[in-house]
């Protein structure tokens, strides 16, 4: 039940990513090591308590230990590996050193969460291969997934992001794919879809200094990103 409060749960997840991405994340003045230790303690509590649940024993017979190393790696690939793949798809300029640093950041993060060294990918090629092995095969529609998506989108809908629910639905579809959007039963908004699919790449290009003139829809995307960052 501790994870049932979606606002609290989403805020803590956002905090993990925010603290990890901070410039001084691993310095003595940074917050991430503290955040990682708090997260690891919560994981340990869940590992101890959840297997005692009758519901867990009946519903998940193929997994003896919750939040295993494999589970943490699935989360890493749904965040770090997926984000890196999207940055490349969106043609965000990254040097080899920046890509290596991004990987190292995540290597340290999952090590602090207890993932054994031999399971931590040493290159992005290894990360992509591991993602195809541990994440891709388990992607599927579930009742819990649809409810979780609705809760999370409902949280953003409670805050004035300057966009409609249709825009939110289509942005999720754009980032995750229409197949997953259909799994989550996200209603279509074809006008918003057309704006996102044409405007977002141009927005990224302008933000990265690749085009000199702000594209149509720049202000909308800019406010959307700022509002998301301030949501929690």
């Amino acid at each position: 039940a501790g994870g049932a409060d979606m606002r609290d749960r989403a805020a803590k997840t956002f905090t993990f990513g925010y603290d990890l991405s901070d410039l001084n994340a691993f310095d003595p003045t940074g917050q991430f090591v503290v955040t990682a230790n708090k997260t690891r303690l919560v994981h340990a509590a869940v590992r101890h308590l959840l297997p005692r649940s009758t519901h867990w024993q009946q519903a998940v017979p193929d997994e003896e230990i919750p939040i295993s190393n494999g589970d943490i790696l699935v989360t890493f690939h749904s965040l770090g590996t997926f984000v890196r793949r999207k940055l490349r798809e969106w043609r965000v300029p990254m040097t080899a050193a920046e890509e290596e640093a991004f990987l190292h950041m995540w290597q340290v993060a999952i090590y602090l969460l207890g993932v054994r060294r031999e399971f931590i990918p040493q290159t992005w090629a290894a990360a992509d291969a591991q993602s195809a092995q541990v994440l891709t095969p388990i992607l599927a529609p579930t009742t819990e997934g649809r409810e979780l998506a609705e809760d999370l989108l409902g949280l953003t809908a409670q805050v004035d992001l300057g966009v409609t629910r249709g825009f939110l639905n289509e942005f999720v579809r754009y980032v995750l794919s229409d197949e997953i959007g259909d799994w989550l039963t996200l209603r279509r908004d074809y006008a918003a879809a057309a704006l996102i699919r044409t405007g977002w790449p141009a927005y990224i290009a302008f933000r990265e200094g690749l085009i000199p003139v702000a594209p149509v829809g720049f202000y909308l995307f800019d406010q959307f990103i700022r509002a998301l960052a301030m949501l929690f």
Side-chain angles (χ1 to χ4, degrees):
D5 183 344
M6 283 298 107
R7 181 181 294 274
D8 179 71
R9 185 173 174 179
K12 288 174 179 174
T13 301
F14 187 88
T15 298
F16 185 94
Y18 184 90
D19 290 344
L20 174 60
S21 301
D22 198 20
L23 285 174
N24 65 339
F26 300 103
D27 291 340
T29 55
Q31 183 65 25
F32 180 71
V33 173
V34 174
T35 299
N37 284 333
K38 287 181 177 179
T39 304
R40 189 168 181 175
L41 284 169
V42 171
H43 287 177
V46 171
R47 288 192 197 99
H48 175 67
L49 294 172
L50 193 56
R52 300 182 179 191
S53 161
T54 303
H55 175 73
W56 167 267
Q57 294 169 2
Q58 293 175 345
V60 195
D62 62 335
E63 187 173 21
E64 295 181 3
I65 302 175
I67 318 184
S68 63
N69 270 204
D71 292 334
I72 295 173
L73 287 168
V74 165
T75 302
F76 157 60
H77 291 305
S78 68
L79 296 172
T81 305
F82 181 79
V83 166
R84 184 256 185 178
R85 190 178 304 146
K86 281 296 171 182
L87 291 175
R88 290 174 67 86
E89 285 181 14
W90 294 342
R91 299 181 180 180
V92 174
M94 292 183 291
T95 65
E98 287 170 336
E99 288 204 48
E100 183 178 353
F102 188 56
L103 175 61
H104 182 64
M105 177 184 79
W106 276 105
Q107 288 171 327
V108 175
I110 60 179
Y111 176 77
L112 289 175
L113 292 183
V115 177
R116 286 159 49 180
R117 287 179 182 269
E118 60 263 37
F119 298 148
I120 299 177
Q122 296 302 299
T123 64
W124 280 119
D128 285 328
Q130 190 181 71
S131 178
Q133 180 183 11
V134 304
L135 173 60
T136 304
I138 65 173
L139 289 175
T142 64
T143 300
E144 293 84 358
R146 285 189 287 269
E147 291 176 352
L148 178 59
E150 188 58 37
D151 283 343
L152 293 174
L153 287 170
L155 287 179
T156 58
Q158 294 174 23
V159 180
D160 183 12
L161 300 181
V163 298
T164 64
R165 174 57 191 269
F167 182 95
L168 287 174
N169 287 354
E170 290 297 338
F171 198 83
V172 171
R173 284 178 172 274
Y174 178 67
V175 173
L176 298 183
S177 79
D178 279 330
E179 180 182 30
I180 293 178
D182 289 341
W183 289 352
L184 300 176
T185 63
L186 299 179
R187 295 182 62 180
R188 299 306 309 258
D189 183 328
Y190 291 103
L195 172 63
I196 292 167
R197 293 176 190 279
T198 57
W200 181 255
Y203 170 78
I204 292 292
F206 178 76
R207 270 292 183 193
E208 294 297 328
L210 302 178
I211 59 175
V213 180
V216 174
F218 170 82
Y219 180 77
L220 172 66
F221 288 118
D222 214 39
Q223 290 300 105
F224 174 57
I225 295 301
R226 291 174 185 273
L228 280 178
M230 294 299 296
L231 180 59
F232 298 105

